[in-house]
């Protein structure tokens, strides 16, 4: 199991050395000595837990905690305050800001080790539950909820540079007839094999693949221009055809095939991420109308304001 990362924030070097000695065998430990450095380091290393002193030069621990909890990437990282103040009011203030625990100074190694261990394990469990909530149980791909989150995030990121974003949508041809002929167990097996073929086709790409619903899949290709996206779509089709899954009820051929729609455009603030899904869906429809077992792509234009 990969070691959890602990960020220790304290301006006292002696305290840092003590905590490092206590934790280094079980965790990857990094350090910051000011509030500003703590925020920068947290954004850089994405720690699993933060041990945060209240009294810091510059931003104090309370303000650091507040800013961490406002960051969507770091909001769920548990924060344990370290204090020698022994002040109930300070403890209540820290808990109100989102801290989960306190460790009193001077540091007691056994107490520190136990509390860090408990909260790291709780975070791992929460992370696992969060992963399950956005994963399709049958295929292990992202589910529709995660796809929509990822698409939104990539669109925001790519809008900063005006880079390309491509979306591929595909559907298993005559899948209802497949289920009717071979049964739902075979249908599930077919879906799993298609999902695996998508992973093979995209293994060299920075991409997210999701089961969109039933026998439909969507792939998000950040930075992929129209030519690249079309090549990926054809590779997906080739991988699926190579499976040679028998489908005697198909009107396309003797084996399972897929129809694919591809939509590409440069990201700007003048559209929405849902536009890519809508355009890819249109191309998927055209692919089916044209006879299935093919990919049809479009490079759509984003309207310019003013």
């Amino acid at each position: 199991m990969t070691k959890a990362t602990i960020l220790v924030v304290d301006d006292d070097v002696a305290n840092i050395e003590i905590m490092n000695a206590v934790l280094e065998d079980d965790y990857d430990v990094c350090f910051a000595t000011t509030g500003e450095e703590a925020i920068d380091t947290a954004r850089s290393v994405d720690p699993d837990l933060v041990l945060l002193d209240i009294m810091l030069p510059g931003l104090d621990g309370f303000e650091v905690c507040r800013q961490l909890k406002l960051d969507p990437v770091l909001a769920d990282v548990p924060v344990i305050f370290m204090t020698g103040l022994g002040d109930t009011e300070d403890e209540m203030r820290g808990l109100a800001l989102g801290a989960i625990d306190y460790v009193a100074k001077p540091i007691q190694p056994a107490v520190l080790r136990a509390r860090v261990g408990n909260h790291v394990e709780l975070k791992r469990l929460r992370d696992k539950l969060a992963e399950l909530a956005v994963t399709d149980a049958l295929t292990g791909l992202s589910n529709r909820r995660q796809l929509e989150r990822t698409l939104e995030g990539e669109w925001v990121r790519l809008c900063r540079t005006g880079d390309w974003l491509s979306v591929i949508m595909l559907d298993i041809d005559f899948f209802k007839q497949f289920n009717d002929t071979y049964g739902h167990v075979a249908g599930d097996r077919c879906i799993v094999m298609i999902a695996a073929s998508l992973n093979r086709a995209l293994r060299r790409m920075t991409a997210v693949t999701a089961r969109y619903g039933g026998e439909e899949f969507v792939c998000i290709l950040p930075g992929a221009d129209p030519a690249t996206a079309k090549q990926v779509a054809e590779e997906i089709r080739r991988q699926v055809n190579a499976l040679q899954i028998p489908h005697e009820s198909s009107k396309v051929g003797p084996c399972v095939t897929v129809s694919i729609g591809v939509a590409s455009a440069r990201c700007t603030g003048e559209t929405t991420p849902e536009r890519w899904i809508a355009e890819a869906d249109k191309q998927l429809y055209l692919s089916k109308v044209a006879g299935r077992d093919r990919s049809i792509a479009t490079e759509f234009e984003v309207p310019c304001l003013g």
Side-chain angles (χ1 to χ4, degrees):
M1 182 182 294
T2 304
K3 283 186 177 182
T5 299
I6 310 297
L7 171 59
V8 176
V9 186
D10 198 314
D11 62 334
D12 187 326
V13 175
N15 283 335
I16 287 176
E17 289 176 346
I18 291 170
M19 286 182 279
N20 184 55
V22 172
L23 300 172
E24 64 179 346
D25 288 344
D26 300 310
Y27 308 101
D28 289 327
V29 186
C30 54
F31 311 97
T33 56
T34 68
E36 292 82 359
E37 184 185 357
I39 293 168
D40 289 342
T41 303
R43 288 172 176 162
S44 174
V45 305
D46 190 15
D48 294 285
L49 182 141
V50 178
L51 284 165
L52 179 60
D53 192 19
I54 291 179
M55 307 300 292
L56 294 169
L59 300 178
D60 65 15
F62 295 126
E63 179 60 19
V64 172
C65 183
R66 189 186 73 82
Q67 292 196 27
L68 291 177
K69 295 305 174 182
L70 288 174
D71 189 311
V73 175
L74 299 170
D76 292 332
V77 175
V79 174
I80 297 178
F81 271 121
M82 300 179 292
T83 178
L85 298 177
D87 191 323
T88 302
E89 186 175 327
D90 283 322
E91 292 184 7
M92 294 300 296
R93 182 182 174 190
L95 293 171
L97 287 168
I100 57 166
D101 207 346
Y102 269 83
V103 172
K105 292 181 178 180
I107 298 297
Q108 301 297 315
V111 173
L112 178 66
R113 193 178 296 112
R115 291 193 175 176
V116 168
N118 287 340
H119 288 301
V120 166
E121 184 58 29
L122 285 171
K123 182 177 185 296
R124 280 185 171 145
L125 291 173
R126 288 196 301 271
D127 288 348
K128 183 63 177 175
L129 288 172
E131 180 184 346
L132 290 172
V134 295
T135 302
D136 177 63
L138 179 62
T139 64
L141 302 179
S142 297
N143 63 15
R144 185 166 179 165
R145 180 192 303 177
Q146 179 65 3
L147 173 88
E148 290 168 350
R149 287 182 188 171
T150 302
L151 182 59
E152 174 81 23
E154 290 295 342
W155 174 77
V156 169
R157 182 178 68 84
L158 294 169
C159 277
R160 300 188 189 115
T161 57
D163 204 350
W164 287 102
L165 173 64
S166 293
V167 167
I168 295 173
M169 182 174 283
L170 62 136
D171 201 27
I172 303 174
D173 293 326
F174 299 108
F175 187 69
K176 180 183 182 302
Q177 290 84 343
F178 184 94
N179 271 338
D180 290 344
T181 302
Y182 300 101
H184 288 281
V185 172
D188 285 351
R189 191 180 305 116
C190 176
I191 286 173
V192 170
M193 293 174 73
I194 298 294
S197 70
L198 291 180
N199 287 332
R200 286 193 296 274
L202 293 162
R203 65 185 180 278
R204 294 187 179 89
M205 299 285 297
T206 300
V208 173
T209 304
R211 186 180 178 197
Y212 199 62
E215 69 275 19
E216 201 166 40
F217 299 84
V218 171
C219 308
I220 301 172
L221 281 64
D225 61 20
T228 300
K230 177 67 171 175
Q231 289 173 1
V232 171
E234 283 301 306
E235 176 61 17
I236 290 171
R237 200 169 65 86
R238 190 190 71 78
Q239 290 280 354
V240 171
N241 289 343
L243 294 173
Q244 292 289 290
I245 303 171
H247 189 352
E248 66 182 41
S249 301
S250 173
K251 298 177 183 178
V252 179
C255 295
V256 166
T257 58
V258 293
S259 299
I260 304 176
V262 187
S264 303
R266 289 189 178 276
C267 292
T268 75
E270 283 75 52
T271 189
T272 62
E274 291 78 17
R275 177 79 184 277
W276 274 261
I277 295 291
E279 294 291 339
D281 194 35
K282 288 179 185 176
Q283 303 311 304
L284 173 57
Y285 172 76
L286 293 175
S287 176
K288 292 179 179 180
V289 169
R292 304 181 189 247
D293 188 22
R294 69 195 65 218
S295 64
I296 295 181
T298 185
E299 176 186 338
F300 65 92
E301 293 187 4
V302 174
C304 296
L305 298 183

